[in-house]
Amino acid sequence: MDFIGKRKYSYVLSALLIIVSIISMCVQGFNLGIDFTGGTVMQVKFEKSLNIAELREDLKTAGYEGAQIQELDGGVYQIKAQYMDQNAQDKFSEKLEAETGKFDIQQANAVGPSVGQEILNSGVLALIIALVLMIVYISVRFEWRFAIAGNIALFHNIIITLGVFSLFQLELNAQFVAAILTIFGYSINDTLVVFDRIRERIGNVKRDDLLGVVNLGIGSVVKRSVYTSVSTLIPLFAVLFLGGATTKLFVLAIIIGIIAGTYASIFVASPLWYDISMKSKKKRF
């Protein structure tokens, strides 16, 4: 397959995905969880059957009109409200029980606003440090053109993952930061394998022969990249559909990142390196 000859199609597809993602992030923003904003989240299961409309009305009557409700599996409801200490949580339970009847609190988490901001700042700092170290590593291991192409592809994967979460207003929490860091490592590893195969073949090839060499380098690992990604995605999809509610968004973020990373390592990173090398006035390799 002529990967380099058809690179304009992959550039257009990537550009469309990135544009949609950026527009969504600017217009809709993100649905930040309590890990970042502060607040209280409870997962409760009621003895009597309730739907979301009834529960929302009961919360309004109890004085918690602004609480957000999400129905989980097994008749469990997740209620997100402003930050409440233990005494406030006890009063909340008493008032809600008076309206809905008895219920079981399966899980309760409370994060103060200042702690949430600290977690957000730490997450952003972790991503920046990871990115800088990645640039340094690729520059030392290969050379600066590979570093530029690899990190553009890395940004491509992260922006698309963020875009999906913004577009569908999926909750971002501390686990999402861990998922993004996982995507950093997995996608850049896939890209480096492709880069290594290209570097093995470039040697002292003439400028006009570079296209064929890059195509051979990509073609030699494309099956390996696809097989590795599929074998990784199978257990992830199993966890997504069969695992607990607390892991679903974490796993979903990794799935999106792996799919975007596999695509980018083949159709974005290497073609970008080819274009940068061909336009460079200095020594190519």
Side-chain angles (χ1 to χ4, degrees):
M1 182 175 176
D2 185 8
F3 298 96
I4 302 302
K6 295 179 172 59
R7 66 190 182 281
K8 291 183 180 180
Y9 297 106
S10 59
Y11 288 169
V12 170
L13 176 59
S14 295
L16 288 174
L17 292 174
I18 290 173
I19 289 170
V20 170
S21 297
I22 292 175
I23 290 175
S24 178
M25 287 187 281
C26 293
V27 175
Q28 294 193 130
F30 297 104
N31 176 21
L32 298 178
I34 65 164
D35 291 343
F36 298 142
T37 61
T40 300
V41 170
M42 293 183 178
Q43 292 184 7
V44 299
K45 186 171 185 179
F46 299 91
E47 287 189 356
K48 70 176 185 179
S49 179
L50 288 172
N51 57 42
I52 289 183
E54 292 172 335
L55 180 55
R56 183 173 287 110
E57 187 63 31
D58 290 336
L59 285 167
K60 181 179 179 181
T61 305
Y64 298 93
E65 184 176 0
Q68 300 177 20
I69 308 168
Q70 180 182 358
E71 186 174 1
L72 305 179
D73 298 331
V76 177
Y77 289 89
Q78 178 174 280
I79 301 173
K80 184 192 298 183
Q82 63 183 8
Y83 174 73
M84 295 182 284
D85 58 21
Q86 189 58 53
N87 290 332
Q89 290 182 36
D90 293 339
K91 291 180 180 178
F92 171 85
S93 299
E94 291 175 3
K95 291 180 179 180
L96 185 59
E97 186 174 338
E99 299 296 330
T100 64
K102 292 184 177 181
F103 59 84
D104 176 41
I105 300 179
Q106 298 188 340
Q107 183 178 341
N109 295 310
V111 178
S114 59
V115 176
Q117 186 63 44
E118 183 179 344
I119 294 174
L120 178 59
N121 293 339
S122 298
V124 173
L125 179 61
L127 294 177
I128 293 174
I129 292 174
L131 180 61
V132 171
L133 292 177
M134 203 72 73
I135 293 174
V136 173
Y137 171 73
I138 300 175
S139 298
V140 173
R141 171 79 186 275
F142 294 89
E143 48 94 36
W144 64 270
R145 295 173 185 83
F146 282 113
I148 292 175
N151 280 283
I152 290 175
L154 190 58
F155 273 112
H156 166 280
N157 305 335
I158 301 305
I159 290 173
I160 289 176
T161 305
L162 288 170
V164 172
F165 271 69
S166 172
L167 187 63
F168 296 100
Q169 286 297 286
L170 301 173
E171 184 179 290
L172 268 64
N173 51 30
Q175 292 183 354
F176 183 80
V177 177
I180 292 295
L181 291 174
T182 303
I183 294 169
F184 261 74
Y186 188 95
S187 59
I188 202 66
N189 175 70
D190 208 21
T191 300
L192 290 181
V193 171
V194 181
F195 282 171
D196 201 43
R197 295 298 177 271
I198 293 173
R199 188 177 61 172
E200 288 176 352
R201 289 171 167 79
I202 52 179
N204 295 315
V205 299
K206 296 180 180 178
R207 195 178 186 86
D208 294 338
D209 297 331
L210 187 60
L211 186 148
V213 170
V214 176
N215 274 332
L216 285 174
I218 299 174
S220 66
V221 295
V222 66
K223 287 186 178 180
R224 174 264 178 202
S225 296
V226 173
Y227 291 163
T228 301
S229 297
V230 170
S231 63
T232 305
L233 288 171
I234 289 173
L236 286 174
F237 274 111
V239 175
L240 177 66
F241 292 113
L242 303 176
T246 57
T247 61
K248 286 186 183 297
L249 293 179
F250 172 75
V251 172
L252 178 61
I254 294 179
I255 288 173
I256 296 169
I258 287 177
I259 293 173
T262 303
Y263 163 79
S265 66
I266 298 171
F267 297 102
V268 177
S270 299
L272 278 174
W273 176 84
Y274 171 80
D275 285 331
I276 294 170
S277 297
M278 293 299 290
K279 292 179 181 178
S280 177
K281 294 180 180 180
K282 296 181 180 181
K283 186 178 179 181
R284 212 174 43 245
F285 316 121

